[in-house]
Amino acid sequence: MSEIISQSGLRQLVADRIAAGTIVSGPTQVKPKLVLYAVLGSPDDLLLEGFVRPDNSIKECVFPKQEELYGYRIQGNNIELTDGLTNDDLTNDDAPVPKQLVVAARPCDAAALPILDHIFNWDFKDEFYNRRRAATTVVTLACDSHGENCFCTSVGLHPAAERGSDAMLFELGDGSYEVRCITDKGRALFDGKTEESDKVGRADAGPEKKFDPETVRAFVDQHFEDPFWSQHALTCVGCGVCAFTCPTCHCFDIVDAGPSAGNARYRTWDSCQFPMFTAHASGHNPRAGQPSRQRQRILHKFSIYPNKFGEILCTGCGNCTRNCPEGIGVLTVATEIDHG
Amino acid sequence: MSDDSTRDGTMTENKGFEPKIVAYVCNWCTYLGADLAGTTRLEYPPNVRIIRLPCTGRIDFNLIVKGFEIGADAVLVSGCHPGDCHYTAGNYHARRRWILFRELLDTLGFDLRRIHFTWISAAEGKKWQQVITEMTEQTRQLGPYTDLYANGSAQDSANDLPSGPPTPFEFKTLPAEGALRESCRKLLADGTVKVVIGYGQRGPAILTRAEDAGRLVWNNRCVSNLTTYLKRKEIKALGKPAVVVKPCDEKSLVVLEKESQLDRKNIHVIGMACEGVGEPKCTFCTARTPRFADETLGEAAGPASLADPPPNRFAALMAMAPAERMAFWAKQFDRCVKCYACRQVCPMCYCERCIADKNRPIAIDPAPSAKGNFAWQIARAFHLAARCVGCGECSRACPAGIDLALLNIALHKAAQVNFGYDAGVDPAAEPVVGSYALQDKEDFIG
């Protein structure tokens, strides 16, 4: 036996959550040919079919692109900390964290959350992240197709992977979905909303394996100085698209938005592809050129992070390659390494 | 302007509203004019905060925007009358920049009734009194500037621009591919060039060995403007390059040479005849054959007349009321993540250190907030004023689908209308920014 929900039932559930004040995010058609995860104003904005995956990731729900850490006021030689400036900030310890629901996330997005959990709780417990994470429920929609840049199967995932999801939806092909609740959060969300059925949903078979991550790891460990990097990095223009649309990239910068923004300290996303990322105050930059920055990204994903946490820092979503203006990313580098 | 007296705090009702006006004035004329008004006991409203700068030519356009950000309801920029500049021509340069900058602010939906330009000499204390009195009264009537950046929120109700039906696209390899490979193989083999910047299967391909020439492709998906690689130091280090250009990309070379960013003699340019690569820019493009290439490959049919041209997005944008336009941009910029892909793919963005990366002090709010995103896009677009060749790479690269090229189009049009200038078309034409003409229009200067 399985539990199913109709598409209208799912939209009704979204409508109820929005009405209850939950921030609901999901795939939306932002413009022709562009699907992004965004906060849903209405359940009709939720896009459920006809696309491979959104061009951004759900990390924004737990690790926003800009997050206010605290406000401050400078008077003479004194600096006084103040509450934040924005209403939805978490700078006030007692402020309730808005409940969040992510609907129709892809498995490669949901799988990134346990990875981010490690990072934000490794040596320092990141309260901002943890509070948002605890208030977030993730409902994943198993993929019904895959694109040329997808490679989840190469990094140990697949279109029906449950990792990081509170509940999974599987298309039944008749406009309804099989619901598989995985955690208590998921069960609470769908409690009483589903019907029993004998239909079982199916997912896409996924892309064929495109490279072996162990080969990549062995290569990057042994080829720190190698002409491969300078050759490969030639077409990289040095923007941050790969890191910013990646579900697992988590580096951030801390910036002061000066008096014109009312004196606040923010955390914003940062990318290892920017020269400023490693620039020293002295002017020296240990990663002086794009080859070393490209190497860093691959090294971090296939060696540094796995050595520390025992898994790859990549879920195979393919967003880096998909969004790169010049068509390079983990997929192109890793396949080049694996196939020579 | 203290931190406490923000725009919201100043007033809740229009009654008793006292506008705040920031005046950027030059040290030599207007500041003395304001001083004269004081010493001759001419009364004028106390709403104006004067900021003295050396010359109007030195007033950074960002300051105008910053004035609004810190709570001004109107901004005044004032300097010496034409011909009177202490530095001979600073005000002429300023006038030319204002002509362009006003267009950009208009396109972004700023309320132009709140931005004033004027000439006031050291002897015109009376004019200072009159300008400030009128401006204060006018701004009082307008009320507080609450629409700035759509009040910091991306409204769902904001209008979107029309997008036509998807144009049918059929991938095809073009006949010149073989000739291109052969030509590049020869160039590398005989040492004419050390590196070829061309297109490969998945995007740009950068080759240094003749035997790799077979990796090059030429098809109707060769979209990137490859001239952007000429600025990258990793490429420069390889030696003399050959670069593959389409007629539209070629324009960047004209501007870059004009700006002394490249030595044309030390670049081999391979021009490809082009019938379009399926991008929005191609629907309006009439250029088919590169004009300045060292060799041109392929043939292209003349411009096809479009039976059903796509909707003109720029015209639709400008048809909106200013506040609607600002709401439109606020909604677009809300998706910006500050990945700077727009900057990195742009052949014209070649600064060693971008103003957005300057952090001591911070020039552009680095957070991807409404303020930070508007500030960044204003800086980006204005630095490209009358330089952008319209290759559209910024829009294409944006992962958030923001139609950034619209801002460049606004400035391109302004340069065309006011100065008859088309960036990248005529190598002999004098660049618009950095020069001036005595007869530049000043109908907007009081």
Side-chain angles (χ1 to χ4, degrees):
Chain A
M1 292 302 275
S2 61
E3 301 286 320
I4 66 163
I5 190 167
S6 66
Q7 194 178 112
S8 56
L10 184 63
R11 288 189 196 277
Q12 187 55 48
L13 187 148
V14 169
D16 292 345
R17 295 327 304 157
I18 294 173
T22 304
I23 300 169
V24 184
S25 304
T28 50
Q29 190 85 47
V30 172
K31 52 195 276 188
K33 290 189 196 167
L34 180 65
V35 177
L36 295 176
Y37 290 113
V39 174
L40 304 173
S42 108
D44 301 334
D45 295 343
L46 178 65
L47 189 70
L48 290 164
E49 54 211 1
F51 64 101
V52 173
R53 57 154 292 128
D55 282 354
N56 58 351
S57 84
I58 66 167
K59 76 174 170 195
E60 192 158 348
C61 300
V62 284
F63 173 44
K65 62 179 178 175
Q66 63 152 342
E67 179 157 52
E68 193 174 348
L69 302 178
Y70 53 82
Y72 61 92
R73 188 176 293 138
I74 303 175
Q75 269 163 344
N77 288 330
N78 294 324
I79 298 176
E80 183 196 342
L81 298 191
T82 62
D83 277 347
L85 303 165
T86 45
N87 296 325
D88 61 341
D89 69 280
L90 306 184
T91 50
N92 182 343
D93 291 346
D94 305 323
V97 183
K99 281 210 162 123
Q100 296 193 95
L101 170 64
V102 184
V103 192
R106 288 297 187 207
C108 42
D109 271 305
L113 296 178
I115 292 176
L116 294 179
D117 290 345
H118 288 316
I119 284 293
F120 286 106
N121 289 285
W122 156 56
D123 53 349
F124 176 78
K125 305 264 177 278
D126 192 298
E127 202 188 315
F128 290 86
Y129 173 85
N130 287 339
R131 288 170 75 194
R132 282 189 206 277
R133 177 78 165 101
T136 304
T137 306
V138 180
V139 177
T140 304
L141 174 60
C143 303
D144 58 355
S145 65
H146 61 267
E148 58 166 347
N149 295 311
C150 292
F151 58 97
C152 55
T153 47
S154 309
V155 292
L157 288 166
H158 54 90
E162 292 179 352
R163 191 159 191 238
S165 305
D166 293 304
M168 291 278 299
L169 301 173
F170 292 84
E171 232 176 274
L172 290 170
D174 59 358
S176 55
Y177 300 90
E178 186 199 338
V179 183
R180 291 182 205 160
C181 294
I182 297 152
T183 66
D184 289 342
K185 274 186 194 169
R187 278 184 279 276
L189 182 70
F190 284 101
D191 185 32
K193 305 284 197 303
T194 56
E195 295 164 27
E196 291 213 336
S197 161
D198 51 5
K199 291 181 195 160
V200 177
R202 287 223 322 243
D204 180 58
E208 78 283 10
K209 277 194 108 181
K210 295 179 177 173
F211 62 85
D212 174 13
E214 268 312 310
T215 316
V216 178
R217 178 181 176 149
F219 178 87
V220 295
D221 278 346
Q222 290 152 23
H223 296 78
F224 192 77
E225 299 289 351
D226 193 281
F228 173 83
W229 301 113
S230 47
Q231 184 56 38
H232 162 76
L234 283 177
T235 54
C236 173
V237 292
C239 70
V241 162
C242 46
F244 288 4
T245 60
C246 172
T248 63
C249 274
H250 50 260
C251 287
F252 58 81
D253 192 11
I254 291 179
V255 299
D256 285 325
S260 74
N263 282 335
R265 181 158 284 191
Y266 287 94
R267 159 157 89 189
T268 62
W269 292 349
D270 204 350
S271 164
C272 54
Q273 300 307 303
F274 295 149
M276 288 286 285
F277 188 75
T278 43
H280 291 186
S282 66
H284 172 66
N285 195 337
R287 286 185 214 139
Q290 217 55 36
S292 56
R293 294 174 204 138
Q294 278 281 307
R295 178 185 62 201
Q296 170 61 24
R297 187 155 192 271
I298 303 298
L299 198 62
H300 192 190
K301 293 205 173 291
F302 288 90
S303 176
I304 299 171
Y305 185 92
N307 285 344
K308 204 173 188 78
F309 299 107
E311 58 182 331
I312 303 165
L313 185 63
C314 175
T315 61
C317 72
N319 259 3
C320 45
T321 316
R322 188 174 290 117
N323 289 308
C324 175
E326 314 303 5
I328 52 179
V330 168
L331 177 63
T332 59
V333 186
T335 38
E336 213 174 310
I337 290 173
D338 199 7
H339 305 305
Chain B
M1 223 153 291
S2 77
D3 283 344
D4 322 294
S5 57
T6 58
R7 194 173 291 111
D8 318 326
T10 330
M11 62 146 299
T12 42
E13 298 163 49
N14 245 8
K15 220 167 78 181
F17 164 63
E18 282 301 330
K20 283 195 234 110
I21 297 170
V22 176
Y24 298 105
V25 304
C26 92
N27 179 52
W28 303 98
C29 291
T30 305
Y31 188 76
L32 295 181
D35 199 32
L36 182 66
T39 51
T40 49
R41 306 289 188 268
L42 295 174
E43 263 186 44
Y44 62 86
N47 303 53
V48 62
R49 274 78 163 166
I50 299 174
I51 297 173
R52 177 165 61 148
L53 293 147
C55 176
T56 45
R58 188 62 194 83
I59 295 175
D60 192 302
F61 55 88
N62 275 319
L63 287 177
I64 297 178
V65 177
K66 210 109 194 163
F68 287 122
E69 283 183 4
I70 59 175
D73 300 298
V75 168
L76 169 71
V77 187
S78 179
C80 308
H81 284 273
D84 287 356
C85 179
H86 184 78
Y87 308 101
T88 317
N91 52 359
Y92 288 125
H93 286 289
R95 180 171 66 184
R96 188 161 263 208
R97 288 218 305 273
W98 297 345
I99 292 171
L100 296 169
F101 194 51
R102 265 169 56 91
E103 292 296 330
L104 176 62
L105 294 182
D106 191 28
T107 310
L108 284 164
F110 278 80
D111 187 347
L112 291 191
R113 295 170 302 175
R114 298 174 185 274
I115 304 168
H116 302 255
F117 298 93
T118 178
W119 309 128
I120 296 175
S121 81
E124 292 178 319
K126 188 96 186 116
K127 184 173 176 188
W128 173 260
Q129 177 197 33
Q130 188 190 338
V131 164
I132 297 303
T133 309
E134 281 172 12
M135 228 180 120
T136 307
E137 193 40 48
Q138 194 195 337
T139 312
R140 191 175 280 128
Q141 297 300 323
L142 289 171
Y145 195 12
T146 52
D147 291 339
L148 186 71
Y149 304 157
N151 226 346
S153 72
Q155 297 158 358
D156 268 342
S157 56
N159 286 328
D160 214 338
L161 297 178
S163 50
T167 38
F169 179 82
E170 195 188 325
F171 175 87
K172 55 181 176 189
T173 292
L174 298 164
E177 187 175 85
L180 174 67
R181 287 175 179 173
E182 185 46 31
S183 178
C184 291
R185 195 194 57 75
K186 265 197 205 135
L187 287 167
L188 285 169
D190 65 18
T192 313
V193 302
K194 297 286 181 214
V195 54
V196 168
I197 307 167
Y199 301 96
Q201 215 47 262
R202 295 195 65 109
I206 291 169
L207 314 177
T208 50
R209 297 182 311 181
E211 59 266 35
D212 290 339
R215 283 174 50 204
L216 293 172
V217 302
W218 176 241
N219 56 48
N220 60 351
R221 279 315 282 156
C222 290
V223 179
S224 308
N225 181 347
L226 301 176
T227 61
T228 195
Y229 287 107
L230 296 172
K231 73 182 177 191
R232 296 202 65 81
K233 65 176 181 207
E234 290 90 356
I235 307 277
K236 283 181 181 167
L238 295 172
K240 182 176 175 177
V243 61
V244 177
V245 299
K246 303 185 289 292
C248 50
D249 308 333
E250 181 194 50
K251 292 180 185 171
S252 343
L253 294 175
V254 175
V255 177
L256 288 173
E257 191 187 12
K258 198 87 196 162
E259 297 178 359
S260 309
Q261 292 304 308
L262 52 84
D263 178 6
R264 183 63 183 77
K265 291 190 297 296
N266 268 321
I267 296 173
H268 184 88
V269 179
I270 305 171
M272 304 303 289
C274 174
E275 288 179 11
V277 287
E279 286 294 297
K281 63 177 174 181
C282 304
T283 52
F284 300 101
C285 178
T286 53
R288 288 293 176 263
T289 315
R291 298 178 301 151
F292 310 110
D294 294 304
E295 57 180 308
T296 303
L297 303 175
E299 280 172 24
S305 62
L306 290 168
D308 193 13
N312 185 330
R313 292 166 63 80
F314 183 72
L317 176 70
M318 297 314 287
M320 295 180 192
E324 282 176 27
R325 270 204 295 280
M326 192 159 261
F328 164 80
W329 285 113
K331 191 177 168 187
Q332 301 288 311
F333 292 160
D334 190 46
R335 300 198 299 265
C336 172
V337 290
K338 287 223 167 154
C339 66
Y340 296 114
C342 45
R343 171 185 76 190
Q344 294 306 106
V345 294
C346 178
M348 299 307 154
C349 274
Y350 53 68
C351 289
E352 284 260 320
R353 189 154 186 209
C354 175
I355 188 171
D357 288 340
K358 291 191 174 155
N359 53 6
R360 284 184 299 178
I362 288 169
I364 306 283
D365 181 355
S369 58
K371 271 179 187 146
N373 290 341
F374 267 92
W376 160 238
Q377 285 304 335
I378 288 169
R380 189 194 68 85
F382 199 59
H383 282 166
L384 291 168
R387 301 176 58 235
C388 169
V389 297
C391 72
E393 286 285 87
C394 44
S395 287
R396 181 183 71 84
C398 181
I402 306 170
D403 208 343
L404 299 170
L406 288 172
L407 298 176
N408 302 13
I409 291 172
L411 287 163
H412 179 85
K413 279 189 191 293
Q416 247 177 355
V417 169
N418 293 292
F419 312 110
Y421 186 79
D422 239 335
V425 171
D426 178 7
E430 193 178 15
V432 165
V433 177
S435 60
Y436 64 90
L438 296 180
Q439 67 275 16
D440 282 348
K441 82 162 181 185
E442 55 171 35
D443 52 4
F444 62 94
I445 302 175

